[in-house]
């Protein structure tokens, strides 16, 4: 099908009738809101023609270049749903002088070109060519009375125009066969051009589709009311992920029976799509929800397909004296494949073999989201020196006290200082300083000074201060928050002194925000009582050299709504 249509503006009456018809078409095509008011295209007193290009496609129309016999021709890149001016210089404007004061005329010969990386096809180049006479005559000095407009051609080709091309040469390149992009002249006003999409397109999501797919997903599925739907076409495929060490515990006793030691570790769900390596986070979230709402899976597991969370778990392992116990976890991995349908105005895109793979989701009641494996081996000399500094006969575990061997457990605590423990020195250790009995808010604990988004339960039960830890108590006299600045690490190996990049790499679901003078990264979760908790890594330093200097773990005040 030829993509060239050459329409000339012949009379005022014909032009008005055409505008009335295409205005209705424009309203139907307008799938995305127009960011700017309509612009009446015309020649300025300088002789330059200005008009607008309206983009009602899911693609960015990238400015390529232009040419004019009388100077310059300049297009502007137009985002999906946007509009931008294009300029074509014309000849000097000749006026009617004393006898015809309101008459004027000039000549135009130039073009501007845009490129669209369309979905499932080669790039399409749109060239708007403007040529001929523009005149206005009330007296008939230059032309017959009335308005004369230049001719406007729109070409859709697979290459941009070559150097030196003019409208008299014919098509500026090989014309696109079955183009996706359409155009409408004089819409919404004279000399403006409106670019849309049309047709039904079916593509295999496993094939290389180019840049157009990510852009189309962002434009269509990233909207508040996305025009995309998913249909499952194949049974679930399940596999076991690669095991990784989640944590370790040492039994420092010289002799005796094995001890049952508890290990806390964090498991983070993750998800990926067949395609869309450059789609926005909002689009990914929307697509996960669209897919999760349509898959044939148990209701409990369905929530695991629509959310990406970090969970803190506890496992037990029996460790003989002078041995180390390790917990390995291997996530259950599920993959669902189906058809994703996108709708943009009169065009539809059907993506077959579109799949989502999710790590850490329960297959059924008998298959956990994570499989815990244990390993027992003799402790190395380095491990014994690092973790068994206490007198012989004691044990070191994931709940070691605050100090060199302390372990930071997101959502739970640091060493033996855990959320929910009572305000008891026998359990927590003797503090260096005890604050006033009641803090009216968490501000006294530096919470909102460190993080303006802090949602910590108010420390009404006071604060106990240790060498590198502040333990804050709620009104129930139980630990409600911890602010830690010591050398302890999480099971993922991060803590105070870690870089922003290392923390982000350790926790894929973490949310980071920057404020003047500081950056905070937050992990959200729930404790054993299903109360919301947050773990916040606070960073300081200069941009590009941010280091964590504090870790906050606290129960969330539900009234703050975070």
């Amino acid at each position: 099908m030829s993509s060239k249509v050459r329409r000339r503006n012949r009379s005022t009456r014909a032009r008005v009738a055409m505008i009335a018809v295409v205005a209705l078409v424009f309203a139907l095509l307008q799938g995305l809101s127009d960011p700017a008011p309509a612009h009446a295209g015309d020649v300025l007193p300088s002789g330059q023609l200005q008009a607008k290009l309206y983009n009602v496609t899911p693609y960015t129309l990238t400015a390529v270049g232009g040419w004019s016999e009388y100077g310059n021709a300049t297009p502007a890149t137009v985002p999906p749903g946007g509009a931008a001016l294009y300029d074509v210089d014309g000849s000097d404007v000749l006026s009617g002088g004393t006898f015809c004061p309101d008459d004027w005329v000039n000549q135009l010969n130039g073009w501007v070109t845009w490129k669209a990386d369309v979905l499932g096809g080669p790039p399409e180049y749109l060239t708007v060519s403007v040529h001929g006479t523009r005149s206005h005559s009330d007296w008939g000095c230059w032309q017959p009375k009335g308005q004369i407009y230049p001719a406007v051609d729109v070409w859709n080709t697979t290459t941009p125009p070559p150097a030196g091309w003019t409208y008299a040469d014919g098509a500026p390149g090989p014309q696109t066969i079955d183009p996706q992009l359409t155009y409408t002249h004089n819409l919404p006003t004279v000399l403006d051009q409106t670019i849309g999409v049309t047709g039904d397109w079916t593509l295999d999501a496993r094939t290389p589709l180019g840049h157009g797919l990510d852009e189309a997903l962002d434009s269509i599925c990233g909207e508040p009311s996305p025009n995309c739907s998913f249909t499952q076409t194949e049974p679930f495929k399940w596999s076991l992920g690669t095991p990784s060490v989640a944590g370790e515990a040492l039994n420092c006793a010289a002799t005796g029976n094995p001890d049952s030691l508890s290990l806390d570790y964090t498991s983070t769900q993750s998800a990926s799509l067949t395609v869309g390596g450059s789609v926005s986070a909002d689009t990914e979230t929307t697509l996960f929800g669209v897919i999760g709402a349509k898959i044939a899976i148990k209701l409990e597991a369905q929530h695991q397909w629509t959310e990406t969370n970090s969970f803190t778990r506890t496992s037990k392992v029996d460790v003989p004296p002078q041995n180390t116990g390790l917990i390995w976890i291997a996530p259950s991995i599920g993959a669902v494949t189906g058809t994703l349908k996108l709708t943009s105005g009169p065009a539809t895109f059907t993506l077959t073999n579109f799949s989502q793979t999710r790590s850490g989701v329960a297959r059924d009641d008998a298959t956990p989201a994570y499989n815990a494996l244990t390993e027992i081996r003799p402790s190395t000399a380095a491990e014994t020196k690092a973790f068994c500094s206490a007198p012989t006969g004691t044990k070191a575990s994931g709940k070691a006290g605050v100090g060199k061997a302390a372990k930071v457990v997101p959502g739970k605590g640091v060493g033996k200082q855990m959320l929910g423990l009572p305000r008891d020195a026998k359990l927590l250790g003797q503090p260096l300083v005890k604050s006033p009995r009641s803090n009216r808010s968490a501000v006294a604990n530096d919470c909102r000074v460190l993080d303006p988004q802090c949602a910590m339960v108010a420390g009404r039960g006071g604060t106990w201060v240790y060498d590198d830890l502040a333990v804050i108590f709620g009104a129930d006299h139980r630990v409600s928050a911890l602010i830690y600045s010591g050398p302890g690490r999480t099971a993922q190996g991060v803590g105070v002194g870690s870089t922003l990049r290392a923390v982000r790499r350790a926790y894929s679901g973490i949310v980071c925000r920057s404020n003047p003078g500081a950056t905070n990264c937050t992990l959200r979760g729930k404790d054993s009582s299903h109360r919301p908790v947050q773990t916040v890594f606070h960073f300081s330093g200069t941009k590009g050299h941010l280091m964590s200097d504090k870790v906050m773990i606290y129960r969330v005040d539900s009234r703050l709504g975070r």
Side-chain angles (χ1 to χ4, degrees):
M1 178 179 68
S2 172
S3 62
K4 178 201 171 190
V5 178
R6 188 173 176 178
R7 303 172 184 169
R8 297 179 181 271
N9 301 297
R10 300 188 182 279
S11 68
T12 302
R13 179 178 298 176
R15 184 171 63 259
V16 171
M18 180 176 66
I19 292 174
V21 173
V22 297
L24 176 60
V25 176
F26 178 79
L28 295 175
L29 290 176
Q30 188 79 20
L32 302 168
S33 60
D34 178 18
H39 178 273
D42 211 339
V43 172
L44 304 177
S46 65
Q48 181 188 70
L49 179 142
Q50 276 194 348
K52 256 187 180 179
L53 187 85
Y54 288 80
N55 180 7
V56 290
T57 80
Y59 309 120
T60 296
L61 300 179
T62 303
V64 174
W67 172 87
S68 171
E69 178 183 346
Y70 303 100
N72 298 315
T74 309
T77 296
V78 191
L85 290 171
Y86 67 90
D87 308 325
V88 178
D89 288 346
S91 67
D92 293 337
V93 175
L94 300 178
S95 83
T98 303
F99 296 101
C100 303
D102 297 322
D103 288 14
W104 57 269
V105 64
N106 86 321
Q107 300 296 319
L108 293 152
N109 181 20
W111 51 266
V112 284
T113 299
W114 291 265
K115 174 187 176 184
D117 291 307
V118 299
L119 179 60
E124 296 185 18
Y125 291 85
L126 291 174
T127 298
V128 177
S129 172
V130 183
H131 49 92
T133 299
R134 170 69 178 109
S135 70
H136 169 88
S137 181
D138 292 333
W139 303 90
C141 283
W142 300 108
Q143 300 284 345
K145 289 183 179 181
Q147 305 284 354
I148 299 296
Y149 286 93
V152 178
D153 306 331
V154 177
W155 301 85
N156 187 324
T157 58
T158 59
T159 61
W165 177 82
T166 71
Y167 76 96
D169 299 329
Q175 297 184 60
T176 304
I177 304 301
D178 292 331
Q180 281 190 36
L181 302 185
T182 63
Y183 56 90
T184 306
H185 288 300
N186 301 337
L187 182 65
T189 58
V190 65
L191 294 177
D192 291 337
Q193 305 294 323
T194 293
I195 308 301
V197 290
T198 190
D200 298 322
W201 307 87
T202 300
L203 311 116
D204 189 332
R206 298 172 301 183
T207 60
L209 298 177
H211 178 64
L213 180 58
D214 288 346
E215 200 162 55
L217 288 174
D218 273 343
S219 177
I220 300 172
C221 295
E223 293 296 301
S225 300
N227 292 317
C228 51
S229 59
F230 180 81
T231 303
Q232 182 178 347
T233 58
E234 297 181 14
F236 276 92
K237 296 179 181 178
W238 296 93
S239 61
L240 194 63
T242 303
S244 60
V245 176
E248 62 180 301
L250 277 72
N251 184 347
C252 295
T255 59
N257 295 322
D259 279 331
S260 179
L261 303 179
S262 294
L263 277 175
D264 296 303
Y265 62 91
T266 300
S267 302
T268 302
Q269 293 176 324
S270 63
S272 61
L273 301 170
T274 305
V275 290
S278 300
V279 298
S280 69
D282 288 343
T283 300
E284 275 198 345
T285 301
T286 300
L287 284 172
F288 293 158
V290 168
I291 294 172
K294 294 295 183 181
I295 57 179
I297 196 171
K298 288 172 63 67
L299 180 61
E300 306 91 272
Q302 194 174 90
H303 294 294
Q304 298 174 1
W305 278 85
T306 58
E307 299 176 357
T308 299
N309 293 310
S310 179
F311 300 95
T312 300
R313 292 174 165 81
T314 300
S315 289
K316 291 185 177 181
V317 57
D318 291 331
V319 183
Q322 299 296 301
N323 275 255
T324 298
L326 294 97
I327 296 289
W328 296 71
I329 59 167
S332 294
I333 297 177
V336 61
T337 299
T339 298
L340 186 69
K341 185 176 183 180
L342 317 177
T343 303
S344 179
T348 60
F349 303 95
T350 302
L351 305 181
T352 61
N353 295 306
F354 190 90
S355 67
Q356 179 189 351
T357 301
R358 181 168 285 277
S359 171
V361 63
R363 176 178 180 177
D364 49 42
D365 294 337
T367 307
Y370 291 87
N371 297 269
L373 313 171
T374 61
E375 176 188 0
I376 308 296
R377 59 166 174 76
S379 301
T380 65
E383 288 171 333
T384 301
K385 181 179 180 180
F387 296 101
C388 296
S389 56
T392 302
T394 63
K395 61 185 180 181
S397 72
K399 297 186 178 181
V402 173
K404 184 176 181 181
K407 187 171 184 179
V408 180
V409 183
K412 285 201 169 185
V414 180
K416 65 182 180 182
Q417 321 282 24
M418 309 298 285
L419 294 180
L421 288 179
R423 193 177 65 185
D424 185 347
K426 293 182 180 179
L427 291 174
L428 303 176
Q430 192 65 36
L432 299 174
V433 178
K434 293 184 179 180
S435 75
R437 182 179 62 183
S438 175
N439 294 322
R440 298 301 298 172
S441 75
V443 175
N445 304 315
D446 292 336
C447 170
R448 296 187 188 110
V449 173
L450 295 171
D451 180 12
Q453 301 295 320
C454 181
M456 183 186 294
V457 169
R460 301 184 186 278
T463 301
W464 288 6
V465 179
Y466 297 82
D467 282 336
D468 49 17
L469 180 73
V471 180
I472 299 142
F473 302 93
D476 60 354
H477 292 181
R478 291 183 175 274
V479 178
S480 61
L482 301 134
I483 302 178
Y484 180 56
S485 58
R489 290 288 184 268
T490 68
Q492 279 68 29
V494 295
V496 172
S498 296
T499 64
L500 178 63
R501 181 179 181 183
V503 172
R504 281 177 162 167
R505 185 183 299 165
Y507 300 101
S508 60
I510 201 165
V511 176
C512 297
R513 293 186 177 88
S514 294
N515 300 293
T519 295
N520 294 282
C521 293
T522 303
L523 280 172
R524 292 181 172 85
K526 293 186 178 180
D527 62 14
S528 57
S529 302
H530 302 290
R531 296 177 58 177
V533 294
Q534 291 186 2
T535 301
V536 179
F537 293 83
H538 178 270
F539 295 86
S540 60
T542 59
K543 187 176 181 181
H545 297 85
L546 294 176
M547 303 282 286
S548 175
D549 57 6
K550 286 182 177 61
V551 179
M552 296 188 290
I553 303 173
Y554 58 81
R555 285 179 169 171
V556 174
D557 186 341
S558 59
R559 295 172 300 176
L560 298 179
R562 300 188 186 94

